[in-house]
Amino acid sequence: MRQNALFSPGKRLWHTLLAALLLMLVAGLFVESHPHFGIDAVPGFNAWFPMLACAVLVVLARGLGRIFGPREDEDGR
Amino acid sequence: MDAELLHHPAIWLILGGIVMGFLRGAPRVLLSLSLPLVAAWLLWQIPEGIYGGVPFLDYLLDVLQVDRLGRLFALVFMLALFVGSVYAMGQRSRLEVPAAFVYGGAAVGAVLAGDWITLFLFWELMAIGSTLVIWAGGREAYPAAMRYLMVHLFGGVVFMAGITAHLVGGGSLSIEPLALEGVAHWLILAGVLINAGAFPFWSWIPDAYPRASWSGMVFLSAFTTKTAVYVLMRSFPGAEVLIPIGLLMAGYGLIYALIENTARRVLAYAIVNQVGFMIAGIGIGTEMALNGVAAHAFAHIVYKALLLMAIGAVIVQTGKRDCTDLGGLARQMPVTTGFAIFGALAMSAPLTAGFITKSLVLQAAADAHLTWVWLAMMVIAAGVFLAAGLKVVVFVFFGESRDLDAEEAPPSQRWGMRLLALTSLAVGCYPPLLYDLLPYPIDYQPYTGSHVVFQLQLLLATTVVFFLLRGHLVKMLGSLIDIDWFYRTLGPRWVKVMVYGVSIEIREVVLVLMRGIANLLGSLRRHYGTRGVLARTWPSGSMVMWVALLLMMYLALFYLS
């Protein structure tokens, strides 16, 4: 199987992304919010929680991929 | 029988689909573009109410029930048929689009059905129509179409058993919320969940849908699972068991979508994921949650169809389906790339339909103080954007060029994508377009400072994680063993072992039998064959002796008696 050539975001894209994220984090401190559970009152919750969640998901998927993959029937190709 | 039944949009769609099967070229295209519009107009003309009076067995069926929920789903289905027809204008198969109209028309009939029996009849017609759509994908699609049909016929039997038990037990013929008590209602729930793609019957979605043609999967993604969501909304709102069932589907869809290599199978897993999200919402069951689920069904049909159209265009141009074979198409197909990026954003970015619908369900979970459900839904929202949005778009359209021979998608395909993007944008910019159609009155403002900022935080953070972990994502591209391994690999293997194991004894028995028959035939041949004892020519002397002997025996017997 050919490996997908990595798409590397250039410096400019990285900077834009991080700047936008930073801007939103700062903006998040100023908007009026209505936290329901306590944990969502932690600053930047909507940024660090998805980050953490996605990282855990990817690790989990890799682990499962080692155990249950690859499949052998015609779908495995 | 009520006169309104003549205006039943489903009947016109299904009949139109059958007629379409006999047409070719421009008349077919014209019919396929006008039928959904006519059906939508017909539906708009029918005032809310129940129409029927069709006798069937001992029942009077309410074939047509128009209310806000049914009308919303029916209109979304007609939109899907219309946009799908625009996209599929260049489809050479004479079977696919007509079958899609029978399928879509049956889905419209199911969501407008006023009683269980009508619902079931349209339900089964959907199974047949959708099987034909998959079948139209070519010879390779045939086994998958048959597996798909078997799963759905099985689901139909379970559903029918539940309905029968419900009716025999004195249950109401009309479709009303059911309490989860007794076998009948559990069977109904199971039958519907099979069509929704719930555990353990979820692998039919990634198995069958991606084998349809480039346009077939656009139709397929819209109807079956959403009809199941609709029936669950009607019959089991607030059934708590649906929350874990939905979240399990969502988690499964996410993990498998992260690993899967074939682009459209990634999107198929994302369908399971998002339908799971909706089913969990139905489990919450508040008016806010149900509004959210209905709205999200609409948004999901739109953005998923848009992504599938973009990938379908890539399949037409390159003939390739896997992420590892694709890449760098943004240069050759800039417009398609733009629509794909928009489709990924339309999952949840502000100014798109996904933003104003997903937040309704999340808000409902928060209002109900379901902490864990809310956290899980946050993970789903972020994860699906990463797995089905960023991954598909970046791996297919960006990265190193594969020197693929591809051109921009033709105008019909571009128009299909354009219409969907405009729909998502219109609803996202002006929410009342959708909110006014929802089943319950709604008081929710999606565009507050915190909603927008927090959503952008989520999307940007997910994008950063994606780019950080992209190396891992590439390395794990492949496919995983799924539940279908049990009935597609283990099952046949087991059957073979059983058959061969038993056949040793069978062979013994057969050999003995054969030997017996051979012996019998041999002895018959010895006596009656051409050289057999009884066929020989005998000298007349011996004949006279035998006749004299017989006569003597006769005389002896005569005297004795």
Side-chain angles (χ1 to χ4, degrees):
Chain A
M1 183 166 42
R2 267 176 92 183
Q3 285 293 309
N4 190 303
L6 276 180
F7 168 72
S8 311
K11 249 189 189 162
R12 212 205 277 161
L13 182 57
W14 266 124
H15 289 167
T16 320
L17 257 179
L18 293 174
L21 182 59
L22 206 66
L23 186 74
M24 284 303 131
L25 284 173
V26 174
L29 299 175
F30 294 101
V31 292
E32 186 193 347
S33 64
H34 310 279
H36 281 77
F37 308 110
I39 192 172
D40 48 341
V42 181
F45 171 78
N46 281 271
W48 62 258
F49 180 69
M51 272 184 150
L52 206 69
C54 286
V56 170
L57 276 174
V58 171
V59 171
L60 201 67
R62 271 208 92 164
L64 283 175
R66 292 226 172 108
I67 300 170
F68 293 113
R71 60 192 288 168
E72 294 157 4
D73 53 20
E74 85 264 31
D75 291 313
R77 275 172 297 164
Chain B
M1 213 164 86
D2 294 320
E4 277 82 359
L5 291 188
L6 286 178
H7 304 280
H8 197 319
I11 293 168
W12 288 101
L13 285 171
I14 294 167
L15 288 178
I18 293 169
V19 171
M20 218 180 284
F22 298 98
L23 298 177
R24 275 185 143 165
R28 193 202 81 181
V29 170
L30 212 62
L31 187 62
S32 70
L33 294 183
S34 53
L35 255 183
L37 300 177
V38 171
W41 180 78
L42 282 172
L43 179 60
W44 212 249
Q45 300 300 309
I46 305 173
E48 283 187 19
I50 296 175
Y51 309 96
V54 180
F56 179 78
L57 302 179
D58 288 339
Y59 299 101
L60 273 183
L61 301 188
D62 295 325
V63 175
L64 178 61
Q65 175 185 354
V66 181
D67 64 0
R68 295 178 71 85
L69 182 61
R71 177 139 62 189
L72 173 65
F73 271 84
L75 283 174
V76 179
F77 289 167
M78 290 166 192
L79 174 79
L81 270 180
F82 177 72
V83 182
S85 301
V86 172
Y87 180 76
M89 262 193 250
Q91 176 56 256
R92 289 223 187 97
S93 160
R94 292 187 65 189
L95 175 65
E96 186 183 288
V97 178
F101 269 78
V102 173
Y103 171 36
V108 168
V111 298
L112 293 177
D115 64 84
W116 289 107
I117 296 175
T118 309
L119 171 64
F120 177 75
L121 294 178
F122 280 121
W123 190 268
E124 290 299 288
L125 191 57
M126 277 172 70
I128 296 167
S130 49
T131 303
L132 292 178
V133 173
I134 300 170
W135 198 350
R139 201 177 295 160
E140 272 183 22
Y142 177 75
M146 287 301 113
R147 284 195 294 272
Y148 172 92
L149 184 65
M150 273 184 248
V151 169
H152 284 269
L153 291 183
F154 173 68
V157 169
V158 174
F159 190 38
M160 183 73 228
I163 292 173
T164 312
H166 169 72
L167 293 179
V168 168
S172 153
L173 186 62
S174 59
I175 304 164
E176 285 161 2
L178 304 173
L180 264 179
E181 289 162 0
V183 182
H185 297 175
W186 280 101
L187 282 174
I188 291 180
L189 180 69
V192 179
L193 282 176
I194 290 173
N195 262 29
F199 178 83
F201 291 99
W202 49 33
S203 32
W204 61 264
I205 296 179
D207 176 28
Y209 283 5
R211 284 174 215 268
S213 80
W214 51 271
S215 56
M217 192 170 167
V218 175
F219 291 112
L220 290 164
S221 70
F223 304 123
T224 302
T225 50
K226 302 318 172 293
T227 308
V229 165
Y230 162 87
V231 177
L232 290 175
M233 284 183 78
R234 268 225 191 282
S235 42
F236 300 103
E240 279 174 12
V241 67
L242 290 178
I243 297 179
I245 291 175
L247 292 181
L248 184 67
M249 284 170 71
Y252 154 83
L254 261 188
I255 299 280
Y256 276 69
L258 275 171
I259 295 168
E260 181 57 49
N261 185 15
T262 308
R264 291 205 305 180
R265 295 189 96 203
V266 175
L267 296 177
Y269 284 120
I271 292 177
V272 183
N273 166 282
Q274 288 299 296
V275 172
F277 180 81
M278 290 176 223
I279 288 178
I282 299 170
I284 297 173
T286 58
E287 288 194 354
M288 176 74 135
L290 296 177
N291 269 341
V293 170
H296 193 56
F298 165 84
H300 178 252
I301 287 176
V302 171
Y303 74 68
K304 193 52 52 69
L306 180 50
L307 281 169
L308 285 169
M309 284 182 180
I311 302 298
V314 168
I315 291 175
V316 172
Q317 293 300 321
T318 64
K320 306 253 189 266
R321 288 158 188 257
D322 292 351
C323 288
T324 37
D325 295 332
L326 293 162
L329 284 167
R331 218 164 295 151
Q332 289 126 302
M333 307 177 78
V335 179
T336 308
T337 308
F339 284 128
I341 293 172
F342 184 84
L345 287 174
M347 286 180 189
S348 49
L351 299 182
T352 66
F355 175 71
I356 69 155
T357 61
K358 216 172 253 183
S359 53
L360 282 176
V361 184
L362 279 161
Q363 186 66 44
D367 288 343
H369 298 288
L370 298 164
T371 316
W372 288 105
V373 177
W374 184 78
L375 285 174
M377 286 180 165
M378 287 281 287
V379 176
I380 295 167
V384 79
F385 177 62
L386 183 139
L390 291 168
K391 178 181 153 181
V392 168
V393 171
V394 170
F395 284 6
V396 171
F397 294 101
F398 294 94
E400 189 189 280
S401 173
R402 294 270 183 232
D403 301 324
L404 294 166
D405 192 18
E407 284 172 22
E408 186 54 81
S412 59
Q413 293 181 1
R414 291 211 299 270
W415 266 107
M417 294 188 262
R418 192 170 294 140
L419 287 171
L420 283 176
L422 284 174
T423 309
S424 180
L425 207 59
V427 169
C429 292
Y430 187 65
L433 275 180
L434 179 61
Y435 283 1
D436 286 350
L437 294 173
L438 294 179
Y440 302 102
I442 184 169
D443 177 29
Y444 178 75
Q445 179 48 256
Y447 287 107
T448 65
S450 60
H451 288 160
V452 174
V453 166
F454 289 157
Q455 188 62 24
L456 286 175
Q457 283 183 0
L458 183 143
L459 294 177
L460 287 165
T462 310
T463 313
V464 169
V465 171
F466 172 77
F467 283 129
L468 286 175
L469 296 179
R470 65 193 194 283
H472 290 276
L473 283 168
V474 169
K475 271 186 211 146
M476 63 196 198
L477 284 179
S479 53
L480 275 191
I481 289 171
D482 201 342
I483 300 282
D484 64 348
W485 178 80
F486 284 99
Y487 58 82
R488 286 180 55 194
T489 309
L490 185 67
R493 225 179 261 172
W494 184 73
V495 168
K496 257 181 218 164
V497 168
M498 288 297 287
V499 168
Y500 284 133
V502 167
S503 79
I504 292 169
E505 274 116 66
I506 290 179
R507 227 177 284 158
E508 289 294 307
V509 175
V510 169
L511 276 178
V512 170
L513 275 178
M514 290 293 282
R515 219 170 285 146
I517 292 170
N519 287 346
L520 187 71
L521 287 175
S523 76
L524 283 177
R525 194 181 148 82
R526 269 198 303 283
H527 287 96
Y528 298 100
T530 43
R531 286 164 175 273
V533 181
L534 297 174
R536 269 184 230 145
T537 46
W538 291 355
S540 48
S542 76
M543 284 298 291
V544 170
M545 186 195 79
W546 280 111
V547 170
L549 229 138
L550 276 172
L551 284 172
M552 268 171 65
M553 278 170 74
Y554 176 74
L555 265 174
L557 278 171
F558 185 77
Y559 278 114
L560 281 174
S561 63

